[in-house]
Amino acid sequence: MFADERQQLIADLARRDGRVVVTALAAELDVAPETVRRDLDALATQGLVRRVHGGAVPVDETSGREASVDHRAEVSSEAKARIGQAALALIPQGRTSIVLDAGTTTAQLAAALPPRPELLVVTNSVPISAQLASDHPGEVHLLGGRVRGVTQATVGETGVRQLQRLRTDVAFLGSDGLTVEHGLSTPDQSEASVKRAMRLAARTVVALVDSSKVGRELLYSFARLSDVDVLVTDRDVDVRTVAALEQTGIEVVIA
């Protein structure tokens, strides 16, 4: 494969998956990691990707552009399912209240919830609330507000005010990006406001973030890493990144 063909393939993979990792690309393309790094540097010079630790992200990932729920569900689906299963262990026993943020990874946790009548769920996700309302024996509360079509999440001051009156046991938050410097981030300001209110409404904050989001920085930060107690991610995350995250004091669980 010629260099320009290889670089076009890498750019396409970055746009499809939201992130590419040097080691994974080297194995998939059967080239040396140094070759991949040179390709990424060339793509960055062309303005097609932005270099991040261990790989690169497409340039438009730092803008306000968002993928649909259906598209997000297809990306890293197996990893998200493992994250959802691992997150079950972080739900206390007995009478418990949790917040489930809108997102395809938190949806995997919702799908894995055991039939516990004493478990109360608060969410801003229309799909999650609809699913739980039909098969979860405990209480399900859908936050009010405007529904964003692209994420199927309720946003706005109504939901933020509702959260300000709550004190839940655990909040499970999704994120479009996560870095040590920028924390957890998302491209939409209204979603960031709800996520921030969810964080403040919980005694324990758990971030459910698959490895394709690690290293990405979106426009609006809604939590510093010091605001998060536990990060649950998948085994494809770079080990050096895990070490850097743990140095901030956050507990990292690998699913």
mmCIF file of all heavy atoms in Angstrom, residues 67-70 102-103 123-129 142 146-155 191:
data_model
loop_
_atom_site.group_PDB
_atom_site.id
_atom_site.type_symbol
_atom_site.label_atom_id
_atom_site.label_comp_id
_atom_site.label_asym_id
_atom_site.label_seq_id
_atom_site.Cartn_x
_atom_site.Cartn_y
_atom_site.Cartn_z
ATOM 1 N N ALA A 67 -22.473 13.161 16.412
ATOM 2 C CA ALA A 67 -23.027 12.002 15.727
ATOM 3 C C ALA A 67 -24.371 11.640 16.348
ATOM 4 O O ALA A 67 -24.656 11.959 17.494
ATOM 5 C CB ALA A 67 -22.064 10.820 15.834
ATOM 6 N N SER A 68 -25.196 10.945 15.573
ATOM 7 C CA SER A 68 -26.500 10.532 16.068
ATOM 8 C C SER A 68 -26.363 9.409 17.087
ATOM 9 O O SER A 68 -25.316 8.757 17.188
ATOM 10 C CB SER A 68 -27.367 10.042 14.903
ATOM 11 O OG SER A 68 -26.835 8.842 14.369
ATOM 12 N N VAL A 69 -27.436 9.168 17.843
ATOM 13 C CA VAL A 69 -27.435 8.085 18.827
ATOM 14 C C VAL A 69 -27.184 6.746 18.139
ATOM 15 O O VAL A 69 -26.415 5.918 18.638
ATOM 16 C CB VAL A 69 -28.767 8.058 19.596
ATOM 17 C CG1 VAL A 69 -28.846 6.813 20.472
ATOM 18 C CG2 VAL A 69 -28.920 9.305 20.449
ATOM 19 N N ASP A 70 -27.814 6.521 17.000
ATOM 20 C CA ASP A 70 -27.648 5.246 16.295
ATOM 21 C C ASP A 70 -26.198 5.039 15.879
ATOM 22 O O ASP A 70 -25.654 3.927 15.994
ATOM 23 C CB ASP A 70 -28.557 5.199 15.064
ATOM 24 C CG ASP A 70 -30.023 5.076 15.441
ATOM 25 O OD1 ASP A 70 -30.311 4.690 16.592
ATOM 26 O OD2 ASP A 70 -30.890 5.382 14.598
ATOM 27 N N ALA A 102 -27.631 10.580 29.787
ATOM 28 C CA ALA A 102 -27.957 10.103 28.440
ATOM 29 C C ALA A 102 -26.680 9.671 27.734
ATOM 30 O O ALA A 102 -25.625 10.279 27.897
ATOM 31 C CB ALA A 102 -28.655 11.204 27.647
ATOM 32 N N GLY A 103 -26.777 8.615 26.942
ATOM 33 C CA GLY A 103 -25.615 8.159 26.194
ATOM 34 C C GLY A 103 -25.698 6.678 25.898
ATOM 35 O O GLY A 103 -26.454 5.941 26.541
ATOM 36 N N THR A 123 -33.021 9.948 35.147
ATOM 37 C CA THR A 123 -32.293 10.049 33.889
ATOM 38 C C THR A 123 -32.831 11.196 33.041
ATOM 39 O O THR A 123 -33.966 11.632 33.221
ATOM 40 C CB THR A 123 -32.370 8.728 33.095
ATOM 41 O OG1 THR A 123 -31.557 8.824 31.906
ATOM 42 C CG2 THR A 123 -33.813 8.415 32.686
ATOM 43 N N ASN A 124 -31.991 11.666 32.126
ATOM 44 C CA ASN A 124 -32.444 12.640 31.127
ATOM 45 C C ASN A 124 -32.487 12.014 29.738
ATOM 46 O O ASN A 124 -32.598 12.713 28.730
ATOM 47 C CB ASN A 124 -31.540 13.875 31.114
ATOM 48 C CG ASN A 124 -30.147 13.585 30.571
ATOM 49 O OD1 ASN A 124 -29.597 12.499 30.784
ATOM 50 N ND2 ASN A 124 -29.562 14.554 29.892
ATOM 51 N N SER A 125 -32.400 10.693 29.696
ATOM 52 C CA SER A 125 -32.420 9.975 28.424
ATOM 53 C C SER A 125 -33.812 9.446 28.126
ATOM 54 O O SER A 125 -34.350 8.634 28.887
ATOM 55 C CB SER A 125 -31.423 8.805 28.463
ATOM 56 O OG SER A 125 -31.620 7.945 27.363
ATOM 57 N N VAL A 126 -34.384 9.859 27.024
ATOM 58 C CA VAL A 126 -35.700 9.363 26.625
ATOM 59 C C VAL A 126 -35.650 7.857 26.346
ATOM 60 O O VAL A 126 -36.503 7.111 26.832
ATOM 61 C CB VAL A 126 -36.236 10.144 25.416
ATOM 62 C CG1 VAL A 126 -37.550 9.542 24.919
ATOM 63 C CG2 VAL A 126 -36.442 11.623 25.783
ATOM 64 N N PRO A 127 -34.656 7.351 25.587
ATOM 65 C CA PRO A 127 -34.618 5.891 25.353
ATOM 66 C C PRO A 127 -34.415 5.085 26.629
ATOM 67 O O PRO A 127 -35.052 4.037 26.809
ATOM 68 C CB PRO A 127 -33.429 5.719 24.394
ATOM 69 C CG PRO A 127 -33.253 7.043 23.748
ATOM 70 C CD PRO A 127 -33.632 8.050 24.776
ATOM 71 N N ILE A 128 -33.546 5.546 27.537
ATOM 72 C CA ILE A 128 -33.315 4.806 28.773
ATOM 73 C C ILE A 128 -34.569 4.791 29.629
ATOM 74 O O ILE A 128 -34.955 3.751 30.182
ATOM 75 C CB ILE A 128 -32.127 5.410 29.551
ATOM 76 C CG1 ILE A 128 -30.811 5.089 28.843
ATOM 77 C CG2 ILE A 128 -32.096 4.884 30.989
ATOM 78 C CD1 ILE A 128 -29.595 5.721 29.485
ATOM 79 N N SER A 129 -35.236 5.931 29.745
ATOM 80 C CA SER A 129 -36.448 5.982 30.572
ATOM 81 C C SER A 129 -37.538 5.087 29.998
ATOM 82 O O SER A 129 -38.253 4.411 30.746
ATOM 83 C CB SER A 129 -36.955 7.426 30.686
ATOM 84 O OG SER A 129 -37.372 7.933 29.435
ATOM 85 N N LEU A 142 -37.909 10.717 34.683
ATOM 86 C CA LEU A 142 -37.342 11.377 33.513
ATOM 87 C C LEU A 142 -37.304 12.874 33.777
ATOM 88 O O LEU A 142 -38.335 13.493 34.062
ATOM 89 C CB LEU A 142 -38.172 11.077 32.265
ATOM 90 C CG LEU A 142 -37.742 11.804 30.974
ATOM 91 C CD1 LEU A 142 -36.337 11.372 30.558
ATOM 92 C CD2 LEU A 142 -38.742 11.526 29.852
ATOM 93 N N ARG A 146 -36.298 20.390 27.199
ATOM 94 C CA ARG A 146 -36.342 20.208 25.751
ATOM 95 C C ARG A 146 -35.591 18.940 25.370
ATOM 96 O O ARG A 146 -34.536 18.643 25.915
ATOM 97 C CB ARG A 146 -35.681 21.423 25.083
ATOM 98 C CG ARG A 146 -35.483 21.301 23.571
ATOM 99 C CD ARG A 146 -34.891 22.587 23.000
ATOM 100 N NE ARG A 146 -33.587 22.891 23.576
ATOM 101 C CZ ARG A 146 -32.429 22.459 23.079
ATOM 102 N NH1 ARG A 146 -32.414 21.667 22.003
ATOM 103 N NH2 ARG A 146 -31.280 22.797 23.638
ATOM 104 N N VAL A 147 -36.149 18.180 24.411
ATOM 105 C CA VAL A 147 -35.490 16.965 23.939
ATOM 106 C C VAL A 147 -34.616 17.295 22.737
ATOM 107 O O VAL A 147 -35.105 17.817 21.730
ATOM 108 C CB VAL A 147 -36.516 15.873 23.556
ATOM 109 C CG1 VAL A 147 -35.789 14.630 23.044
ATOM 110 C CG2 VAL A 147 -37.394 15.516 24.743
ATOM 111 N N ARG A 148 -33.319 17.003 22.848
ATOM 112 C CA ARG A 148 -32.399 17.181 21.719
ATOM 113 C C ARG A 148 -32.494 15.949 20.828
ATOM 114 O O ARG A 148 -32.237 14.820 21.272
ATOM 115 C CB ARG A 148 -30.953 17.352 22.198
ATOM 116 C CG ARG A 148 -30.704 18.606 23.007
ATOM 117 C CD ARG A 148 -29.213 18.834 23.223
ATOM 118 N NE ARG A 148 -28.549 19.210 21.989
ATOM 119 C CZ ARG A 148 -27.446 18.639 21.505
ATOM 120 N NH1 ARG A 148 -26.895 17.624 22.155
ATOM 121 N NH2 ARG A 148 -26.913 19.063 20.378
ATOM 122 N N GLY A 149 -32.828 16.167 19.574
ATOM 123 C CA GLY A 149 -33.027 15.044 18.667
ATOM 124 C C GLY A 149 -31.788 14.213 18.458
ATOM 125 O O GLY A 149 -31.853 12.971 18.386
ATOM 126 N N VAL A 150 -30.617 14.839 18.389
ATOM 127 C CA VAL A 150 -29.396 14.120 18.055
ATOM 128 C C VAL A 150 -28.971 13.165 19.163
ATOM 129 O O VAL A 150 -28.391 12.104 18.899
ATOM 130 C CB VAL A 150 -28.248 15.117 17.721
ATOM 131 C CG1 VAL A 150 -27.829 15.909 18.950
ATOM 132 C CG2 VAL A 150 -27.059 14.386 17.112
ATOM 133 N N THR A 151 -29.262 13.507 20.430
ATOM 134 C CA THR A 151 -28.860 12.642 21.543
ATOM 135 C C THR A 151 -30.036 12.024 22.280
ATOM 136 O O THR A 151 -29.827 11.176 23.152
ATOM 137 C CB THR A 151 -28.018 13.427 22.565
ATOM 138 O OG1 THR A 151 -28.798 14.523 23.068
ATOM 139 C CG2 THR A 151 -26.732 13.938 21.947
ATOM 140 N N GLN A 152 -31.265 12.456 21.959
ATOM 141 C CA GLN A 152 -32.461 11.978 22.654
ATOM 142 C C GLN A 152 -32.364 12.236 24.156
ATOM 143 O O GLN A 152 -32.818 11.428 24.980
ATOM 144 C CB GLN A 152 -32.675 10.488 22.390
ATOM 145 C CG GLN A 152 -32.990 10.163 20.934
ATOM 146 C CD GLN A 152 -34.347 10.716 20.518
ATOM 147 O OE1 GLN A 152 -35.378 10.285 21.010
ATOM 148 N NE2 GLN A 152 -34.346 11.680 19.611
ATOM 149 N N ALA A 153 -31.780 13.392 24.526
ATOM 150 C CA ALA A 153 -31.624 13.778 25.926
ATOM 151 C C ALA A 153 -32.429 15.027 26.210
ATOM 152 O O ALA A 153 -32.538 15.919 25.360
ATOM 153 C CB ALA A 153 -30.152 14.039 26.237
ATOM 154 N N THR A 154 -32.995 15.093 27.421
ATOM 155 C CA THR A 154 -33.670 16.318 27.832
ATOM 156 C C THR A 154 -32.626 17.273 28.405
ATOM 157 O O THR A 154 -31.739 16.886 29.161
ATOM 158 C CB THR A 154 -34.745 16.046 28.895
ATOM 159 O OG1 THR A 154 -34.147 15.443 30.044
ATOM 160 C CG2 THR A 154 -35.828 15.123 28.341
ATOM 161 N N VAL A 155 -32.744 18.534 28.016
ATOM 162 C CA VAL A 155 -31.797 19.554 28.464
ATOM 163 C C VAL A 155 -32.573 20.814 28.833
ATOM 164 O O VAL A 155 -33.753 20.951 28.516
ATOM 165 C CB VAL A 155 -30.762 19.886 27.368
ATOM 166 C CG1 VAL A 155 -29.895 18.684 27.046
ATOM 167 C CG2 VAL A 155 -31.451 20.387 26.101
ATOM 168 N N GLU A 191 -26.147 20.355 27.136
ATOM 169 C CA GLU A 191 -25.879 19.033 27.713
ATOM 170 C C GLU A 191 -24.830 19.139 28.820
ATOM 171 O O GLU A 191 -24.926 18.454 29.847
ATOM 172 C CB GLU A 191 -25.410 18.065 26.624
ATOM 173 C CG GLU A 191 -26.443 17.816 25.545
ATOM 174 C CD GLU A 191 -26.754 16.347 25.352
ATOM 175 O OE1 GLU A 191 -26.396 15.532 26.225
ATOM 176 O OE2 GLU A 191 -27.381 16.018 24.336
#
